[in-house]
Amino acid sequence: MGIISSRHNALVKRIRMAIREHAQEIVVEGPKAVADAIAGGWKPIAVVERDVDVSGEVFDALTETRHPQSVIGLFERPRGDAAAILARRDTVAIALDAVQDPGNVGTIVRLAAAFDVAGVLLLPGCADPFAPKAIRASAGAILNVPIAEITLAELLMTSPKLLATAMSGAVIDPPPRDAILVFGNEGAGVSRELLDAATLIAIPMSARVESLNVASSAAILLARSYDARSRTTDN
Amino acid sequence: MGIISSRHNALVKRIRMAIREHAQEIVVEGPKAVADAIAGGWKPIAVVERDVDVSGEVFDALTETRHPQSVIGLFERPRGDAAAILARRDTVAIALDAVQDPGNVGTIVRLAAAFDVAGVLLLPGCADPFAPKAIRASAGAILNVPIAEITLAELLMTSPKLLATAMSGAVIDPPPRDAILVFGNEGAGVSRELLDAATLIAIPMSARVESLNVASSAAILLARSYDARSRTTDN
């Protein structure tokens, strides 16, 4: 097979569709990122190199970054297993409730890797963790954090303790290891149904602000949970 | 004076310039935000209301947001006093070293308000805390956190202890109250000269990530410092 030099080539159209929609298939740009994704167990559908598999002109028209990389990988969207995330009791899990900003979702994925979280459960209304902005904010952590979608009903049926951040909550420091930490929408916070089912946990702070950014709240609670585990392990 | 209906009006041009350059004069959009800024002690140069002071057509052409507000305030750029920030010993201060993303700068300003930080010192190379994206990320906290520029030489001459986050640092929990917490550039971290002068402080985390987002690091260390103060006050 020769070099692809037509924008109407089936694989080129499929990659372009994946970049636009990042639905069942997602795209990773750059030789290092593509290699990391394969090493991380993502399933490649195709890997194309500029000037080798695809002509420079067609390749450059594909990429959405200003400084196009030389390699693009087309991957199956990784699907985490919510049950496997929930089955772990040795560390906390995270549930995101309509967290809309992809930067926040990606930052929380990075925090999940940093603090050995079991995984990130996405309730409806969240930004796509595989959107380019979220992948960048995760700084590579998207590759090794289990991420799975979950419905509100499924989450409410789980046995682990739900802990939701709220100004009116109690100071629970550290959060228990078998908890699911629920973080809510940037404006509206955690939804009413989840608040009713959860234990409310507060982060002590000045009355000068109404709330913290959702990723800041996650950073503080996850670090506390991780520190408590380190202390236990040390003893 | 009648309603301004020309785009070439001197005040209209001055507001447009301030929106574009946010240099000596900055613009705040929205009646609540403008009222808050005045209440917060910012010095208004002019406040214009749509259809009252400025015609709808000219007003709408001014604003950069997609859903234009009905009021625009033109303000003198607030100038914090670095010496006053450094003089406080009852709480930590923050120094940012070439933190480039305005979202990170604004999020850190919000954290500074939440955890009663003395103020935010900006070394060269930082994003403008009064840029629209930074103001939005601060969620209103920009109005009540002292912010001042400082040079590296000035910072190095200060007596309070400089603490810089670095993976190789020691776990110092909580950070001492009279410290200046230094946070560095998103890619390069804290500059070599500052690292050499500072005590290095680490946040315990998994080896799965190389680092945290700078605002996440700030959230964790500031919450620890605030908690320690709360405990002291309680006793």
Side-chain angles (χ1 to χ4, degrees), chain B residues 47-70:
Chain B
V47 175
V48 297
E49 189 173 356
R50 188 182 189 282
D51 289 331
V52 176
D53 306 296
V54 173
S55 74
E57 190 191 356
V58 172
F59 189 97
D60 293 348
L62 268 180
T63 58
E64 70 162 16
T65 45
R66 232 178 272 173
H67 304 287
Q69 298 278 359
S70 58

Side-chain angles (χ1 to χ4, degrees), chain B residues 123-157:
Chain B
L123 287 155
C126 286
D128 183 0
F130 297 101
K133 189 180 169 195
I135 289 182
R136 279 194 298 277
S138 84
I142 189 81
L143 293 172
N144 54 38
V145 172
I147 298 173
E149 292 178 6
I150 195 167
T151 65
L152 180 59
E154 287 167 344
L155 185 62
L156 292 178
M157 283 185 343

Side-chain angles (χ1 to χ4, degrees), chain A residues 114 116 144 206 208 224 227, chain B residues 114 116 144 206 208 224 227:
Chain A
D116 277 343
N144 54 37
S206 157
R208 291 160 70 194
R224 284 182 185 163
D227 284 354
Chain B
D116 277 343
N144 54 38
S206 157
R208 291 161 70 194
R224 285 181 185 163
D227 283 355

Side-chain angles (χ1 to χ4, degrees), chain B residues 16 33 41 44 66 68 78 81 91 125 148 160 173 181 183 199 225 229:
Chain B
R16 193 180 304 123
R66 232 178 272 173
D81 178 358
T91 185
D173 185 8
L181 291 168
F183 299 101
T199 300
S225 173
R229 183 169 58 155

Side-chain angles (χ1 to χ4, degrees), chain A residues 13-23 25 27 64:
Chain A
K13 286 205 279 194
R14 193 166 163 186
I15 291 173
R16 193 180 304 122
M17 176 81 82
I19 290 174
R20 192 181 319 129
E21 305 198 339
H22 45 90
E25 298 179 353
V27 161
E64 69 164 16

Side-chain angles (χ1 to χ4, degrees), chain B residues 36-197:
Chain B
D36 286 347
I38 292 170
W42 289 20
K43 299 206 179 83
I45 297 161
V47 175
V48 297
E49 189 173 356
R50 188 182 189 282
D51 289 331
V52 176
D53 306 296
V54 173
S55 74
E57 190 191 356
V58 172
F59 189 97
D60 293 348
L62 268 180
T63 58
E64 70 162 16
T65 45
R66 232 178 272 173
H67 304 287
Q69 298 278 359
S70 58
V71 172
I72 288 180
L74 179 68
F75 289 86
E76 289 178 24
R77 168 184 286 264
R79 298 268 174 205
D81 178 358
I85 294 171
L86 290 167
R88 282 185 63 182
R89 291 288 183 281
D90 59 319
T91 185
V92 293
I94 294 172
L96 301 184
D97 181 20
V99 174
Q100 282 178 320
D101 179 77
N104 282 335
V105 171
T107 301
I108 290 171
V109 169
R110 186 174 179 182
L111 290 164
F115 298 117
D116 277 343
V117 169
V120 178
L121 301 165
L122 300 172
L123 287 155
C126 286
D128 183 0
F130 297 101
K133 189 180 169 195
I135 289 182
R136 279 194 298 277
S138 84
I142 189 81
L143 293 172
N144 54 38
V145 172
I147 298 173
E149 292 178 6
I150 195 167
T151 65
L152 180 59
E154 287 167 344
L155 185 62
L156 292 178
M157 283 185 343
T158 60
S159 52
K161 195 175 209 155
L162 294 173
L163 286 182
T165 46
M167 293 297 273
S168 59
V171 178
I172 306 171
D173 185 8
R177 301 297 306 168
D178 60 349
I180 299 176
L181 291 168
V182 183
F183 299 101
N185 175 266
E186 288 83 354
V190 174
S191 64
R192 172 50 48 193
E193 264 181 296
L194 261 170
L195 284 179
D196 287 346

